Amino acid sequence: MTLIKSISGIRGTIGGSPGEGLNPLSIVKFVSAYAAYIRNRSAAEGNRIVIGRDARISGEMVRNVAAGTLAGMGFDVVDIGMATTPTTELAVVTEKACGGIIITASHNPKQWNALKLLDEKGEFLGVQAGAQVLESAENESFAYVETGRLGKIIIDNRYKERHIAHILSLEAVDTDAIRAANFRVAIDCVNSVGGIVLPDLLYALGVKEIFKLHCNPHGNFSHNPEPLPENLTEISHLMTQAKADVGFAVDPDVDRLAIVCENGEMFGEEYTLVAVSDYILSRTPGNTVSNLSSTRALRDVTLRHGGRYHASAVGEAHVVDKMKETHAVIGGEGNGGVIYPACHYGRDALAGIALFLSHLAESRLKTSELRATYPSYFIAKKKIELTPDIDTDAVLDAVKAQFAGYETTCIDGVKIDFPDKWVHLRKSNTEPIIRIYSEARTRAEAEALADELIRTVRTISAR
């Protein structure tokens, strides 16, 4: 059994002995620590915390334990039931709550679950806040309230409709153009909450023909739930059979969006954000942000529109901080995560779908033709294992020194920007591993660059 604690929450496989898997004891301890932090630090005046969950089989159990613990800590719980991560984030703001807990392990298999923690703005806790929660959980520095101060649990199942209405209200969402395009759309919702909300969103946008895969939210995921090409063969085949114009695949909590072209080819997860950003920048010129391991194509598109591109450390909280700092009009991550501040500061596949369909409708292009308008890059993802006695930070410092003649960024490991390619090295926080991402104009060049850095790291670590 596995239990992983980090500043962004706690996740693990269900079951196991105390301290091993994600079980009721670990849930109680961690939720109690989070509630204590919220009690002491939240800027909200109310006494509510929102809970939403994806369709995982363990979701109801985790929800019951978490909700009861929050009530025991003196908070009223607004339970919005099965809901997407972005829906839960919006609910925190709407409820003027002190925070929120999303019960989801994102793209992990069904035996996993997790608690993702939000502040009163509906955004993920930052590094300092997350560290305080971890410390409180470790030290058990929290106390429960007496009978007269126990919280209550409020059930509210209306947030799916509210989320859809919020997206339809966005000025950049062109429902008239979408309706006029008469799109045929295929979707793969991997038997989670996407199956509840995506069809309703598409119908509300004006799509009349929808071809559904795995929309029954029973939590027995039909395939590996991470929306990568190797896991999306069914929707790829469906595209040509159904003569669909575009396909959308989401992960179990619907904050990542993969797009499939009419010919069954993948649009590319890195290019979800690129295409949506191109559309937004054509209407609202400004700056963009993605993390250091995302494609250079976003920078190219941003410059073409006269804006400035900025890179952040890896992680949604870091992207959001950089977006606020640079007043970015659009941003996100290359894993299919779109963050549109006019909607809210969180990755939102529903917003991504609405904006992409608006873009596709106004362009009057086929999905594959739209993809061809963007510069093509290829990313290689590798890792190198080191012995535990090696100082990983020192290795990264030596890599930086060796490539000092090139533009380097060190806010999250070391990223080296060459004129026509880049490579990013990051250390793992849990094991002696350096992850190496590289991007170039061809797959062979990207692989060669990653392999070159692997050889460099091995040479340095052997000294």
Side-chain angles (χ1 to χ4, degrees):
M1 298 295 177
T2 304
L3 182 66
I4 301 172
K5 303 172 185 177
S6 71
I7 58 171
S8 60
I10 184 172
R11 63 187 173 99
T13 50
I14 297 297
S17 302
E20 289 185 352
L22 187 66
N23 54 51
L25 285 177
S26 58
I27 296 166
V28 167
K29 180 183 288 190
F30 201 77
V31 171
S32 299
Y34 166 70
Y37 170 82
I38 291 295
R39 176 72 67 205
N40 295 329
R41 302 286 181 172
S42 176
E45 296 181 359
N47 194 49
R48 291 185 169 190
I49 292 179
V50 175
I51 286 183
R53 66 182 178 91
D54 70 15
R56 289 169 191 274
I57 298 168
S58 60
E60 186 174 3
M61 179 276 289
V62 178
R63 172 265 177 204
N64 290 338
V65 176
T69 301
L70 289 172
M73 291 292 292
F75 283 96
D76 291 337
V77 178
V78 180
D79 178 8
I80 65 172
M82 283 201 286
T84 73
T85 282
T87 303
T88 309
E89 293 168 342
L90 282 167
V92 170
V93 177
T94 302
E95 292 289 333
K96 298 181 180 178
C98 302
I101 297 178
I102 307 165
I103 300 169
T104 176
S106 297
H107 60 271
N108 287 92
K110 66 179 181 180
Q111 65 267 30
W112 288 76
N113 215 328
L115 304 173
K116 295 184 176 182
L117 309 178
L118 305 175
D119 61 17
E120 72 278 0
K121 295 175 289 187
E123 300 168 15
F124 288 111
L125 297 187
V127 173
Q128 185 176 1
Q132 291 179 24
V133 171
L134 285 175
E135 182 179 2
S136 177
E138 182 68 25
N139 299 330
E140 297 186 359
S141 53
F142 44 78
Y144 303 101
V145 301
E146 298 175 353
T147 302
R149 296 173 55 205
L150 291 172
K152 59 182 179 293
I153 297 175
I154 304 159
I155 306 297
D156 190 336
N157 295 315
R158 298 170 294 174
Y159 271 96
K160 176 185 74 171
E161 291 77 16
R162 290 171 177 168
H163 191 174
I164 291 173
H166 182 64
I167 288 173
L168 293 177
S169 72
L170 297 172
E171 185 178 346
V173 174
D174 192 341
T175 54
D176 290 337
I178 295 170
R179 187 174 293 106
N182 290 315
F183 287 132
R184 297 162 62 88
V185 178
I187 56 174
D188 181 347
C189 298
V190 74
N191 301 119
S192 193
V193 293
I196 299 172
V197 66
L198 258 64
D200 286 358
L201 170 69
L202 290 169
Y203 287 132
L205 288 169
V207 175
K208 297 181 178 63
E209 292 188 88
I210 305 172
F211 304 92
K212 304 174 186 177
L213 283 175
H214 313 306
C215 287
N216 186 353
H218 51 59
N220 276 308
F221 303 145
S222 51
H223 54 74
N224 184 313
E226 188 166 13
L228 298 175
E230 58 266 31
N231 303 325
L232 301 177
T233 55
E234 284 183 271
I235 190 170
S236 177
H237 293 149
L238 177 61
M239 295 301 297
T240 53
Q241 294 171 359
K243 296 182 180 179
D245 297 297
V246 62
F248 298 116
V250 294
D251 63 340
D253 67 324
V254 197
D255 62 355
R256 289 174 59 178
L257 173 64
I259 300 169
V260 189
C261 298
E262 80 289 344
N263 56 12
E265 295 181 359
M266 296 295 124
F267 197 83
E269 63 171 350
E270 289 284 337
Y271 286 83
T272 297
L273 176 59
V274 174
V276 171
S277 297
D278 181 32
Y279 175 65
I280 292 301
L281 292 170
S282 70
R283 302 170 61 95
T284 311
N287 301 330
T288 65
V289 171
S290 64
N291 68 45
L292 287 169
S293 289
S294 298
T295 180
R296 185 178 281 188
L298 179 60
R299 184 200 66 176
D300 295 348
V301 167
T302 304
L303 294 175
R304 190 175 73 200
H305 285 285
R308 293 187 63 187
Y309 166 77
H310 301 271
S312 77
V314 174
E316 183 173 332
H318 295 301
V319 174
V320 169
D321 287 344
K322 180 61 73 170
M323 289 179 69
K324 291 179 178 180
E325 176 190 332
T326 60
H327 307 288
V329 297
I330 188 76
E333 297 181 289
N335 58 9
V338 174
I339 302 174
Y340 183 40
C343 186
H344 65 113
Y345 276 107
R347 296 186 307 186
D348 191 334
L350 278 68
I353 288 171
L355 295 171
F356 184 84
L357 284 177
S358 299
H359 187 23
L360 188 64
E362 292 185 9
S363 74
R364 300 180 182 273
L365 298 173
K366 293 181 179 180
T367 307
S368 61
E369 293 171 341
L370 180 61
R371 172 64 181 83
T373 65
Y374 301 119
S376 286
Y377 294 100
F378 295 87
I379 289 182
K381 298 181 180 182
K382 300 191 177 187
K383 64 182 180 181
I384 180 169
E385 297 184 8
L386 304 175
T387 57
D389 60 300
I390 291 177
D391 186 338
T392 308
D393 289 323
V395 170
L396 293 177
D397 286 341
V399 170
K400 176 186 174 183
Q402 186 161 327
F403 290 90
Y406 297 95
E407 179 184 349
T408 58
T409 306
C410 302
I411 58 174
D412 185 3
V414 178
K415 182 177 183 179
I416 306 161
D417 271 294
F418 303 96
D420 57 348
K421 55 192 174 184
W422 57 259
V423 62
H424 183 203
L425 295 80
R426 299 177 64 237
K427 71 172 184 176
S428 168
N429 292 323
T430 58
E431 51 189 334
I433 285 176
I434 292 178
R435 304 189 187 280
I436 301 177
Y437 292 2
S438 58
E439 183 179 63
R441 285 288 186 176
T442 68
R443 192 174 306 280
E445 286 180 283
E447 296 277 352
L449 180 58
D451 290 340
E452 178 188 348
L453 267 294
I454 288 175
R455 290 192 294 270
T456 299
V457 168
R458 284 178 174 156
T459 300
I460 292 171
S461 59
R463 293 172 183 169

